[in-house]
Amino acid sequence: DQAFDRVQQRAAILLGCEIVATYFLDRGAGVYRLTSHHGIPVQLVDAATPIEIAESDSVFGTAPASDPPALMINDPSSH
């Protein structure tokens, strides 16, 4: 858990992001779940944690199976 925290913090610095979140795919359930994050306001963490993104309903699901999917949104208001 501390390793993920450090990775998220460093990714935010390197990418110039305020918030970085990592979602892992639960293949059995077919959903992505928030696994680690940096910068999500404390008052929103409890609301963000249970959110599941269906593999078929997400931009993550459009990536080729051999490539780890990644998504970077610089300005959420534009998406």
Side-chain angles (χ1 to χ4, degrees):
D1 201 30
Q2 289 181 355
F4 270 129
D5 291 341
R6 286 192 302 271
V7 168
Q8 298 289 36
Q9 185 177 25
R10 289 180 180 156
I13 291 167
L14 289 171
L15 297 171
C17 299
E18 293 177 17
I19 297 173
V20 174
T22 299
Y23 286 79
F24 277 108
L25 175 61
D26 177 341
R27 291 200 185 274
V31 296
Y32 289 93
R33 293 192 177 104
L34 181 65
T35 303
S36 182
H37 61 84
H38 170 80
I40 295 177
V42 174
Q43 65 271 24
L44 297 180
V45 171
D46 287 342
T49 301
I51 294 173
E52 296 179 343
I53 301 171
E55 181 179 14
S56 62
D57 293 339
S58 74
V59 293
F60 300 125
T62 62
S66 62
D67 294 333
L71 172 67
M72 182 175 165
I73 299 176
N74 225 6
D75 180 4
S77 65
S78 68
H79 295 278

